[in-house]
Amino acid sequence: MEFGKGPPLVLVPGIQGRWEYLCPAIDVLATSFRTLTFPLCGERGCDVALDPALGIDNDTRQIAAVLDRSGVDRAIICGISFGGLPAIRFAAVAPERTVALILVSVPGPDWRLRPRHRVYARVPWLFGPLFLAESPWRLRGEVRAAIPLIGARRRFVAGQLRTLVRAPLSPTRMAWRAALISRPHLLDDCARIAAPTLVITGDRALDLVVRVESTLAYMQLIAGARHATLARTGHLGSITRPEAFASLVREFVERSHSAGSCGPRHGSDAA
C-alpha cells in the first residue's frame, strides 16, 4: 500500500500484522512522506509465502520487496512495536537501502513473554480472545491521557473496532510472532546499524505493553541513536497522537539530513 508524496518511508506494522491498524499515523505521515506499508507475512493481502524457518527474515524480505516493487532504492524504515524487529534486521543487512531507522515502542533484547502469555502462545486459539480481553485494561489509561475529550475518545475506539472487523486478527500468527521477539542475533544486528536512528517511547507510567526501559536499551546498542518521548501516550502513541508522532519523525529526518552521513548524536526530545 502506498500513500502520499515525499521522501519514501516504509512503515512496518506491529504484532497484529495488519497495516490497517496504523491508519491514523499513515494519514498524517502521508502529508510529508511517500508512505509505503504492507501486511506482514502470512496475513491476507501478502503475496510473500511465510516460511517458519526464516523467522523475522520473512518480514525483512517483505521490506526489500516493497522497495523493489515501488522502484525505491533507499528509504526511511520505521517499525512499530514488533515491527521494529524486522526494521532493525533490515537496517543491519541492507545499510545501503536504509536512509534512517525509527523504532517506536519496540521490545528490547531483555523482553520476555510473561508466564501466562507463554501459555497463550502454546495454545493460539486462546491467545486472540485473551489478548483482546486484556487490551481494554492495559490501554484504557493511555487512551484517556492521549485523547482527553470523551467524544474524540469514543470515535477513536469505534474506529479501532471497525478496523477489527475489516482486518481480523490471527491468534496463531500473533502467537508465532510473539515467540520471535527475543532473538539471539538481535544484539549483533544492532551493532551493525550505521543509519541515523530515532527511538520513540511513550511515558513510562502509560506503556503497559512494552516497558519504556526495554525500548531504551536500543540507545546503548545502536551507535548515535537519539531518543524522543511522545508525551501523554503509552504504547499506542503513533495512532492516539498521530500529529505529534509525525512531527517527531519529520524533525528527526530533517535533522539527520542536515547532519549528513554522521547522523544525530545521543540525545532526547519530547512532543
Side-chain angles (χ1 to χ4, degrees):
M1 304 299 295
E2 181 172 329
F3 306 87
K5 296 180 180 180
L9 180 149
V10 177
L11 191 64
V12 188
I15 199 168
Q16 66 273 68
R18 304 300 298 262
W19 63 268
E20 292 91 339
Y21 290 90
L22 297 176
C23 279
I26 291 169
D27 289 344
V28 183
L29 287 172
T31 63
S32 302
F33 299 96
R34 180 184 176 189
T35 305
L36 310 171
T37 190
F38 54 92
L40 297 184
C41 279
E43 297 295 331
R44 185 178 61 185
C46 175
D47 56 6
V48 178
L50 176 65
D51 181 351
L54 289 175
I56 290 290
D57 283 333
N58 280 285
D59 302 312
T60 302
R61 292 191 308 164
Q62 271 277 77
I63 297 172
V66 165
L67 293 178
D68 292 342
R69 182 173 298 175
S70 301
V72 174
D73 292 329
R74 304 174 71 240
I76 303 152
I77 310 297
C78 178
I80 307 293
S81 191
F82 170 87
L85 303 182
I88 288 170
R89 180 72 170 155
F90 183 83
V93 301
E96 74 285 356
R97 307 197 74 176
T98 307
V99 172
L101 176 65
I102 300 172
L103 305 175
V104 186
S105 298
V106 177
D110 65 338
W111 192 91
R112 298 292 184 273
L113 283 171
R114 296 174 182 174
R116 70 176 183 278
H117 292 156
R118 287 198 292 270
V119 174
Y120 297 172
R122 288 196 294 268
V123 191
W125 60 270
L126 275 177
F127 188 93
L130 291 172
F131 177 84
L132 291 175
E134 288 182 350
S135 293
W137 176 82
R138 287 184 297 158
L139 303 175
R140 179 176 55 190
E142 72 160 286
V143 172
R144 184 182 294 115
I147 312 174
L149 297 179
I150 295 177
R153 193 158 63 240
R154 287 176 177 170
R155 288 191 293 274
F156 171 80
V157 172
Q160 291 297 294
L161 291 174
R162 286 193 296 271
T163 301
L164 183 61
V165 173
R166 182 164 54 101
L169 305 177
S170 166
T172 300
R173 289 189 290 272
M174 289 174 63
W176 181 76
R177 292 181 189 117
L180 291 177
I181 291 178
S182 300
R183 296 183 305 128
H185 56 282
L186 179 60
L187 297 179
D188 292 338
D189 287 345
C190 289
R192 297 166 63 187
I193 292 172
T197 300
L198 176 66
V199 177
I200 298 178
T201 66
D203 290 335
R204 282 177 169 81
L206 292 176
D207 194 335
L208 301 182
V209 179
V210 174
R211 291 183 305 107
V212 167
E213 287 77 12
S214 181
T215 303
L216 288 178
Y218 294 112
M219 293 291 293
Q220 304 302 320
L221 297 172
I222 300 176
R226 190 172 189 87
H227 172 235
T229 298
L230 195 51
R232 302 197 339 267
T233 72
H235 201 68
L236 303 180
S238 60
I239 59 174
T240 56
R241 295 192 64 207
E243 292 84 3
F245 167 67
S247 178
L248 285 178
V249 172
R250 281 193 300 268
E251 291 170 6
F252 169 70
V253 171
E254 291 168 0
R255 186 180 304 174
S256 298
H257 180 74
S258 298
S261 59
C262 293
R265 297 182 178 180
H266 282 292
S268 183
D269 298 298

